[in-house]
Amino acid sequence: MISCLPLDLATGALLLWLGLGLLGFLLGGWPTAACRLIFPLSSVVALLLAIAGFSALTAPPDQLQLRGPLPALPWSFQIDPLSGFFLILLGLLAFAVSLFATGYFRTLSGPALRRLVLQYHTFLLGMGLVLLAANAFTFLVAWEVMALASYFLVVTEHEEAGSRHAGFVYLLIAHLGALAILLGFVLLAGAAIAQGGPFSAMLHAPLDPFWASAAFLLTFFGFGAKAGLLPLHIWLPDAHPAAPAPVSALMSGAMLQMAFYGMLRVDFLFLGKLASWWGPFVLGVGLATALFGVLFAAVQTDMKRLLAYSSIENMGLIMVAFGLALIFRAHGLGALAALALAAALYHALNHAFFKGLLFLGSGSVLHGAGSVAMDRLGGLIRQMPQTAFFMLLGTLAIAGLPPSTASSLNGCSCRHSCCRLPCPKAPSARYCPWRPPASCWR
């Protein structure tokens, strides 16, 4: 009875999210009441999910199977330490994002809020189901629910052509990736899929090296499309800026990590016989993705696009650690493989929290200043001191700096020569880079 607690708690939390989405759809005519009721309750449910994840770290794996649409296709769920780790990530991030969404979405009209609340909680439900899925049928359905719900959230402002284009590209890449995952599952356990067999059947899939490599490439391509790896990153720099800030925080902090979870579940656990070239291949893709992301992030002026390219960079870094784990495992170096895998998991957790924080901060800046164009912003620390403080924390985390270096930002004042820079529109005038007047950019 006690051993089933983590799975019962996790499935109960997901059902509550579904219920809150439906309740929010019904209460959409009263936007203030819906925001003040639904999103705080959603944050409480997120904590329950995180508690289930913590419990799963030390509890034995549990399974639950329900009758599906066909007798041979049951709904199958399982919780184990790996899914528990990512449930913690999802639950804690959703807790913070849902609290932030309480105030962020309060200005939406009734019909728009009605749709958004349902899509938001369906998105959370889909990600949770991905982590609990115990057979290929359940996993693919959950993956599709997550993809469709996130698509509708990306096109929240569908009146704008840019949002529609970003949504179309995202949906196209998402379905190409889903098709690749399906084909990879077919190669791994074709007969087991047709019979609704559990994922554990894939551990014993009799594949020769050629078909094992084909399954690896297909699943890595499919999950890489969702993770934003090169050359499948094209959806990410447009989708994140188009989505509302709480949605961007969830997509970057949690949804990208669902792709990493899929790689761990399939490419690391199911494909036990590793080819010697898999690790170097993943390592090369990760290095190229990280380099691409950081180079393009460095030239961005839009805050949300910068964070989107930073997400590409960080997913590349996670793939570097994952590739090293594959290399070490292929050569029988279990301790080094575990160390590399721990680094990848730790950075996934770290990225979820600091990138979620920075996207929420960008949403606060957008609401307060009306723009996220960094070349037009300055001096916000005076008008938005709390946002500035939390953005500073996120910036220190993304830079890997200790908190003690934060004091260096105060070393420059307008009395120093480094703060008397020429204005672009009036070279004879001088300004402080931390508090530039708007007239310099008009």
Side-chain angles (χ1 to χ4, degrees):
M1 180 69 70
I2 296 177
S3 63
C4 294
L5 180 60
L7 183 58
D8 293 341
L9 189 58
T11 53
L14 298 185
L15 290 176
L16 287 174
W17 265 341
L18 177 61
L20 287 175
L22 296 174
L23 180 61
F25 185 80
L26 296 176
L27 294 178
W30 299 274
T32 302
C35 283
R36 291 182 178 179
L37 175 66
I38 299 300
F39 288 112
L41 288 177
S42 180
S43 65
V44 175
V45 175
L47 282 182
L48 295 178
L49 193 69
I51 292 173
F54 278 111
S55 302
L57 294 179
T58 56
D62 297 326
Q63 290 189 356
L64 172 67
Q65 188 162 299
L66 303 173
R67 180 175 297 178
L70 295 174
L73 294 176
W75 301 105
S76 186
F77 305 96
Q78 176 179 319
I79 191 169
D80 59 13
L82 179 60
S83 57
F85 176 86
F86 285 91
L87 286 173
I88 295 171
L89 183 153
L90 174 60
L92 293 180
L93 180 62
F95 168 76
V97 172
S98 296
L99 285 181
F100 182 85
T102 303
Y104 190 88
F105 292 127
R106 69 179 183 274
T107 58
L108 288 181
S109 62
L113 182 63
R114 184 194 303 266
R115 295 191 300 269
L116 186 137
V117 171
L118 180 59
Q119 295 158 5
Y120 176 88
H121 288 91
T122 304
F123 181 39
L124 292 175
L125 172 68
M127 289 190 288
L129 289 176
V130 166
L131 299 177
L132 296 180
N135 66 3
F137 169 70
T138 307
F139 185 92
L140 289 172
V141 171
W143 193 264
E144 190 66 14
V145 169
M146 177 181 69
L148 289 177
S150 56
Y151 160 74
F152 286 112
L153 289 170
V154 168
V155 296
T156 297
E157 299 178 358
H158 56 272
E159 299 85 359
E160 300 182 6
S163 294
R164 295 195 299 270
H165 174 73
F168 171 77
V169 174
Y170 168 63
L171 194 64
L172 176 63
I173 297 296
H175 281 85
L176 288 176
L179 179 60
I181 295 171
L182 173 62
L183 294 176
F185 281 171
V186 169
L187 292 180
L188 278 170
I193 291 176
Q195 299 172 3
F199 275 153
S200 58
M202 296 184 182
L203 293 172
H204 309 288
L207 293 175
D208 58 39
F210 173 80
W211 291 112
S213 296
F216 168 78
L217 288 175
L218 284 169
T219 53
F220 184 76
F221 171 86
F223 293 123
K226 185 67 71 177
L229 303 181
L230 289 180
L232 308 169
H233 67 284
I234 57 175
W235 65 270
L236 201 151
D238 293 328
H240 280 21
V247 176
S248 297
L250 283 176
M251 291 180 67
S252 180
M255 189 186 73
L256 298 186
Q257 307 309 328
M258 297 301 107
F260 180 43
Y261 167 79
M263 293 179 186
L264 290 174
R265 181 68 72 183
V266 178
D267 297 331
F268 194 80
L269 295 180
F270 296 162
L271 292 169
K273 298 179 180 179
L274 301 177
S276 59
W277 62 270
W278 293 0
F281 174 77
V282 174
L283 179 63
V285 172
L287 288 172
T289 301
L291 179 62
F292 173 87
V294 72
L295 288 177
F296 275 76
V299 298
Q300 300 302 313
T301 57
D302 184 282
M303 189 183 302
K304 294 189 72 175
R305 286 186 66 87
L306 184 152
L307 294 176
Y309 278 108
S310 173
S311 295
I312 295 176
E313 175 210 355
N314 281 275
M315 290 308 299
L317 295 176
I318 292 173
M319 289 301 105
V320 168
F322 181 50
L324 289 174
L326 292 175
I327 292 174
F328 293 141
R329 185 182 179 188
H331 289 82
L333 303 174
L336 290 177
L339 182 62
L341 196 58
L345 290 170
Y346 179 75
H347 190 60
L349 189 68
N350 185 41
H351 175 259
F353 294 149
F354 73 65
K355 190 55 62 65
L357 176 62
L358 290 172
F359 266 116
L360 295 182
S362 69
S364 182
V365 170
L366 180 61
H367 266 226
S371 174
V372 287
M374 294 184 294
D375 56 350
R376 296 179 178 271
L377 298 174
L380 293 182
I381 191 172
R382 294 177 177 271
Q383 287 74 30
M384 307 175 68
Q386 295 178 346
T387 299
F389 172 75
F390 286 108
M391 288 289 282
L392 176 61
L393 291 182
T395 303
L396 293 176
I398 200 172
L401 298 178
S404 60
T405 58
S407 60
S408 64
L409 294 179
N410 297 323
C412 178
S413 68
C414 288
R415 295 189 300 272
H416 296 167
S417 60
C418 64
C419 289
R420 294 197 294 272
L421 301 178
C423 292
K425 297 298 183 181
S428 60
R430 296 291 184 267
Y431 78 98
C432 171
W434 306 111
R435 294 183 294 276
S439 59
C440 287
W441 308 99
R442 291 174 182 170

